[in-house]
Amino acid sequence: MTIGLCAYAITRDTASPPAETRLITHRGLGLVAAETDLAPFADLDTDPAAWVAEPAENDPLVVLARRHDAVVRAVFEHQPVLPFRFGTVLRDQEAAVRLLTDRHDPVGDALDRVTGHREWGVRARAAVQSGEKRSGDGLSGTAYLAMRRRRLIDAERTRRLGADAATALHDALVRLASDCAPRAKRSPGLLLDAAYLVHTGRETAFHDEIERRRGEVLVDITGPWPPYSFARLAAAHA
């Protein structure tokens, strides 16, 4: 068994670490970590989606990932956090202090930027349009082709209008957010998939803008989250 430190997040040195974790501090910064067996992380895929697509409830990595999120959220309730990517491990406390020392200024600046902010995820699809429902049974060849042509034109018009509406929604939300992290549109028909870093003082306006545009696009919102998409902390292995 190889013992090391599982790194959860960087926060202020005044944070109270959750049970079974500890806070390693250096010049105003604190790194939340816990001793762990490093074996479960050895074969962790660099893309978490590769192993969480069909997660088993008792899969060791799933249990650890949930623990990671729970620790980050517990700290985030009281202090700003820069979450580490799940699976970030350090050899020992000396490696943790070295990380805080070597990256002190950029990490401190990043922590200042996310203070008072929460992350919100927004996805948008084209609004469903009611159209012609006829199957084409009983139509002549010419009439059937005309119906098909109309449907293709309607579908393209819906797609174009939806894309324009999603762009307008994104532009409006960017003006209310402090930062934005677009995501790859993995699902067919997805017009917008992005994370927005929003100050708590602007969250009401942010959600009002979404509600105002719901008739133009179908919108799904997730959050609030710790600023996972805005930590930009590279995985550190020591």
Side-chain angles (χ1 to χ4, degrees), residues 17 122 138 140 155 165 170-171 181 185 187 203 207-208 214 232:
V122 179
S140 67
H170 172 70
D171 291 344
K185 302 180 183 69
S187 175
E203 285 182 341
H207 289 284
D208 285 348
R214 276 192 183 276
R232 300 188 179 98

Side-chain angles (χ1 to χ4, degrees), residues 119-160:
E119 176 177 326
W120 292 90
V122 179
R123 290 183 173 182
R125 299 176 184 274
V128 177
Q129 301 292 320
S130 58
E132 189 175 7
K133 303 298 183 182
R134 294 180 62 182
S135 66
D137 293 344
L139 294 178
S140 67
T142 301
Y144 176 76
L145 290 175
M147 180 190 71
R148 288 278 298 168
R149 190 177 300 110
R150 287 196 301 274
R151 287 182 174 177
L152 289 173
I153 292 172
D154 288 345
E156 174 59 22
R157 179 175 179 273
T158 298
R159 186 203 64 77
R160 187 172 61 253

Side-chain angles (χ1 to χ4, degrees), residues 152-223:
L152 289 173
I153 292 172
D154 288 345
E156 174 59 22
R157 179 175 179 273
T158 298
R159 186 203 64 77
R160 187 172 61 253
L161 290 175
D164 291 345
T167 298
L169 172 63
H170 172 70
D171 291 344
L173 296 182
V174 164
R175 288 193 291 270
L176 294 167
S178 299
D179 202 353
C180 173
R183 298 165 176 159
K185 302 180 183 69
R186 299 178 183 272
S187 175
L190 201 57
L191 301 172
L192 172 65
D193 190 359
Y196 299 86
L197 185 67
V198 185
H199 192 277
T200 53
R202 307 194 80 178
E203 285 182 341
T204 298
F206 184 84
H207 289 284
D208 285 348
E209 188 65 39
I210 292 174
E211 292 304 316
R212 190 172 72 84
R213 296 175 182 271
R214 276 192 183 276
E216 302 170 5
V217 283
L218 302 178
V219 185
D220 293 322
I221 311 170
T222 60

Side-chain angles (χ1 to χ4, degrees), residues 98-121:
R98 185 166 62 250
L99 185 154
L100 293 176
T101 301
D102 293 345
R103 303 168 67 184
H104 182 274
D105 290 347
V107 168
D109 291 343
L111 197 60
D112 288 341
R113 284 195 298 272
V114 301
T115 298
H117 291 73
R118 302 194 292 183
E119 176 177 326
W120 292 90

